[in-house]
């Protein structure tokens, strides 16, 4: 965080694009300001690629004239229904070296109770800043020549930036009631920036949580993904749980926040364990989104599978299997992609106990071959998830687990070096089995395929045609199938 004078801001904005915009606004006779995230990120010393300009008048008129002046190096898109326009300006011949500027006229907004779509009227700069979501996003810097670089900060957003606070410009209950998605954005900004949510603003989150129900799954998904991709995503999920939003948008996760005790024996809080696993995965800033979703959902089945056993204590048998079955329901509800991404998460949730079971026992070639066969190309991500899942506070136990995982990784690396796909898939496939025994797809075909696969994975038979054919014929004869 760094403070700047208006003169220093003018120097920071001393770029052709900002002077061009200011000159156009002056020629038309309107005020214009760069606003929102671009201004906030100047003070946070963060790179920002989204330039939003508010015009006290017609934003479309300024954008259109800017395009005319810049000629062929600019591309104009006008969205009349929304009263906005976008200008993309090429800085050079390099395709990625492009600036995007969004123009909108200053406006006043009002809302009906059952919709996020505002009734919009022309307004002043003050009206426009009043409608902004948070004080840190409500600052504006003038681009007109006679006031170039002047900061307009009516809600002390700069002080909130300095103090690390997320607060709304006006009454937070009104702000969140008008547009309930702002509740998700509030938590998302606090998570991304490592800020605290101001007390009155947080109380409004608690009071208005039910309003999130009018927001579409797609919009919630976008904010959730940004929280998940932040450096310490647990911060966001703790806030979502504290204010009551999580039990509405992701009740399966919220339900893990419980500890039961019986006969003096308690299980761990699986909600906070899950967040620790997620943070462990997120320590690698490049860890992909759906690996993080796998971490978030890996224990989601524990609520349904929790049982008390007098000898074993609390158990969660098959929670991985139940969790994998729950994943598609969650993805569908949140409008997450139902294709390869969902299947990837489902697979990792289903398999996340397997490396741990192997590491608990003797690390045999057979078990590792089976694991690699089932995980396929996702084996490295699975191992990353499983290592992140070691959250024991017992350092000796943790060291043993990590050492055993190291051995599993060594065996996996050895198998991959030997072309595991060729080694682990029997060279006689289901189509050939059906042709040999004149069968259609059926249980019998599945049994014969599994017999060959088990033999190859356990290394009892070489993955070669002649020994596999002998085994196939023996099993078929045992099942009464004529050749």
């Amino acid at each position: 965080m760094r403070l700047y004078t208006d003169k220093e801001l003018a120097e920071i904005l001393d770029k052709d694009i900002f002077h061009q915009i200011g000159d156009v606004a002056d020629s038309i006779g309107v005020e214009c300001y760069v606003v929102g995230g671009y201004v906030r990120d100047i003070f946070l010393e963060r790179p920002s690629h989204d330039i939003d300009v508010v015009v006290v008048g017609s934003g479309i008129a300024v954008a259109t004239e800017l395009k005319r002046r810049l000629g062929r190096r600019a591309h104009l898109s006008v969205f009349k229904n929304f009263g906005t326009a976008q200008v993309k300006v090429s800085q050079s011949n390099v395709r990625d070296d492009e600036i995007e500027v969004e123009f909108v006229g200053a406006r006043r907004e009002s809302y009906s109770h059952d919709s996020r779509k505002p009734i919009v009227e022309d307004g002043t700069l003050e009206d426009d800043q009043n409608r902004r979501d948070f004080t840190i996003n409500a600052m504006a810097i003038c681009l007109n020549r006679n006031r170039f670089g002047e900061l307009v900060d009516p809600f002390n957003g700069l002080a909130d930036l300095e103090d690390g606070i997320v607060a709304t410009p006006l009454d937070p209950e009104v702000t969140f009631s008008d547009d309930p998605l702002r509740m998700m954005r509030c938590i998302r900004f606090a998570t991304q920036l490592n800020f605290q949510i101001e007390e009155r603003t947080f109380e409004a989150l608690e009071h208005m949580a039910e309003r999130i129900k009018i927001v579409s799954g797609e919009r919630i998904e976008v904010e959730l993904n940004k929280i998940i991709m932040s450096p310490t995503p647990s911060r966001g999920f703790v806030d979502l749980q504290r204010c009551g939003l999580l039990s509405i948008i992701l009740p399966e996760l919220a339900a893990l926040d419980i500890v039961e005790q019986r006969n003096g024996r308690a299980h761990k809080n699986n909600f906070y364990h899950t967040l620790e696993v997620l943070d462990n995965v997120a320590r690698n800033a490049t860890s992909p989104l759906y690996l993080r979703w796998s971490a978030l959902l890996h224990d989601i089945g524990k609520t349904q599978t929790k049982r008390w056993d007098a000898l074993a204590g609390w158990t969660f048998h098959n929670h991985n299997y139940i969790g994998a079955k729950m994943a598609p329901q969650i993805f569908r509800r949140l409008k997450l992609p139902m294709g390869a991404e969902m299947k990837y998460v489902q697979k990792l949730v289903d398999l996340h106990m397997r490396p741990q079971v192997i590491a608990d026992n003797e690390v045999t070639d057979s078990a590792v071959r089976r694991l690699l066969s089932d995980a396929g190309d996702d084996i490295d991500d699975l191992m990353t998830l499983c290592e992140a899942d070691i959250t024991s506070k017992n350092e000796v136990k943790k060291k043993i687990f990590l050492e055993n995982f190291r051995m599993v990784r060594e065996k996996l690396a050895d198998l991959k070096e030997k072309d595991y796909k060729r080694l682990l898939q029997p060279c006689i496939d289901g189509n050939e089995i059906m042709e040999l025994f004149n069968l259609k797809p059926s249980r019998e075909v599945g049994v014969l395929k599994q017999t060959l696969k088990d033999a190859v994975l356990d290394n009892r038979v070489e993955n070669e045609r002649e020994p596999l054919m002998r085994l196939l014929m023996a099993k078929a004869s045992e099942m009464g199938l004529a050749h």
Side-chain angles (χ1 to χ4, degrees), residues 224-380:
L224 271 180
N225 285 345
K226 288 178 179 178
I227 291 171
I228 288 171
M229 289 304 292
S230 64
T232 312
S234 62
R235 289 177 52 90
F237 285 98
V238 168
D239 281 343
L240 287 169
Q241 178 73 331
R242 286 174 55 224
C243 74
L245 281 169
L246 193 64
S247 61
I248 299 170
I249 61 176
L250 199 44
E252 300 89 345
L253 181 63
L256 294 176
D257 188 9
I258 188 172
V259 175
E260 284 193 61
Q261 188 168 334
R262 192 174 293 188
N263 295 352
R265 298 169 75 178
H267 62 78
K268 66 187 171 188
N269 185 306
N270 288 302
F271 174 72
Y272 287 98
H273 161 73
T274 293
L275 298 188
E276 191 175 348
V277 175
L278 177 58
D279 281 351
N280 287 344
V281 170
R283 282 202 181 98
N284 177 356
T286 63
S287 60
L289 174 63
Y290 291 101
L291 176 56
R292 297 183 186 212
W293 267 105
S294 302
L296 192 67
L297 300 185
H298 82 284
D299 276 351
I300 209 78
K302 281 192 169 179
T303 304
Q304 290 188 28
T305 58
K306 181 167 64 176
R307 300 288 183 273
W308 169 258
D309 182 280
L311 294 177
W314 292 103
T315 65
F316 303 92
H317 296 313
N318 291 325
H319 74 272
N320 55 309
Y321 170 73
I322 297 298
K325 287 181 68 175
M326 293 166 69
Q329 304 161 21
I330 293 169
F331 267 56
R332 192 172 291 111
R333 187 177 70 241
L334 293 174
K335 310 299 183 188
L336 286 156
M338 294 299 294
E341 296 90 345
M342 186 278 290
K343 288 176 181 173
Y344 165 89
V345 171
Q346 194 173 32
K347 181 201 280 191
L348 263 59
V349 171
D350 188 24
L351 295 178
H352 81 270
M353 295 296 293
R354 287 273 293 280
Q356 187 171 321
V357 170
I358 294 172
D360 268 340
N361 302 300
E362 185 185 350
V363 182
T364 64
D365 287 350
S366 174
V368 173
R369 289 162 75 95
R370 286 177 177 279
L371 175 64
L372 186 49
S373 174
D374 291 341
D377 292 336
D378 298 318
I379 186 65
D380 290 332

Side-chain angles (χ1 to χ4, degrees), residues 6 16 25 28 30 35 55-57 123 140 239 263 267 293 303 307 330 355-356 359 403 426 445 458:
D6 288 354
D16 180 62
I28 295 175
V30 295
V35 297
V55 177
V56 185
D239 281 343
N263 295 352
H267 62 78
W293 267 105
T303 304
R307 300 288 183 273
I330 293 169
Q356 187 171 321
E403 175 59 21
V445 175
D458 292 338

Side-chain angles (χ1 to χ4, degrees), residues 90-98:
S90 297
Q91 299 284 84
S92 66
N93 292 327
V94 180
R95 187 171 182 178
D96 291 337
D97 190 13
E98 201 171 53

Side-chain angles (χ1 to χ4, degrees), residues 123-289:
T124 63
L125 175 65
E126 182 183 4
D127 291 328
D128 202 86
Q129 288 176 300
N130 284 343
R131 73 178 183 85
R132 298 274 158 182
D133 50 8
F134 307 109
T135 61
I136 59 175
N137 295 333
M139 296 180 287
I141 301 175
C142 189
L143 297 180
N144 296 88
R145 184 182 296 273
N146 63 342
R147 293 171 54 210
F148 192 84
E150 179 185 313
L151 178 68
V152 183
D153 181 18
F155 303 109
N156 295 315
L158 203 51
D160 285 347
L161 269 185
E162 253 193 304
D163 294 337
I165 288 173
V166 178
T168 58
L170 303 177
D171 182 338
E173 292 207 6
V174 174
T175 298
F176 295 149
S177 179
D178 284 350
D179 185 355
L181 184 65
R182 288 171 176 167
M183 294 189 286
M184 295 293 300
R185 285 169 58 81
C186 176
I187 290 172
R188 187 254 291 183
F189 278 121
T191 307
Q192 287 180 324
L193 301 175
N194 198 20
F195 279 17
Q196 297 296 319
I197 299 172
E198 183 256 343
E199 190 175 344
R200 281 185 64 242
T201 303
F202 193 86
E203 288 172 359
L205 289 175
E206 294 175 297
H207 295 157
M208 307 305 295
E210 288 289 322
R211 288 282 286 156
I212 200 68
K213 291 178 179 177
I214 73 166
V215 180
S216 70
E218 290 92 341
R219 300 307 296 271
I220 291 171
E221 173 216 338
V222 169
E223 297 302 325
L224 271 180
N225 285 345
K226 288 178 179 178
I227 291 171
I228 288 171
M229 289 304 292
S230 64
T232 312
S234 62
R235 289 177 52 90
F237 285 98
V238 168
D239 281 343
L240 287 169
Q241 178 73 331
R242 286 174 55 224
C243 74
L245 281 169
L246 193 64
S247 61
I248 299 170
I249 61 176
L250 199 44
E252 300 89 345
L253 181 63
L256 294 176
D257 188 9
I258 188 172
V259 175
E260 284 193 61
Q261 188 168 334
R262 192 174 293 188
N263 295 352
R265 298 169 75 178
H267 62 78
K268 66 187 171 188
N269 185 306
N270 288 302
F271 174 72
Y272 287 98
H273 161 73
T274 293
L275 298 188
E276 191 175 348
V277 175
L278 177 58
D279 281 351
N280 287 344
V281 170
R283 282 202 181 98
N284 177 356
T286 63
S287 60
L289 174 63

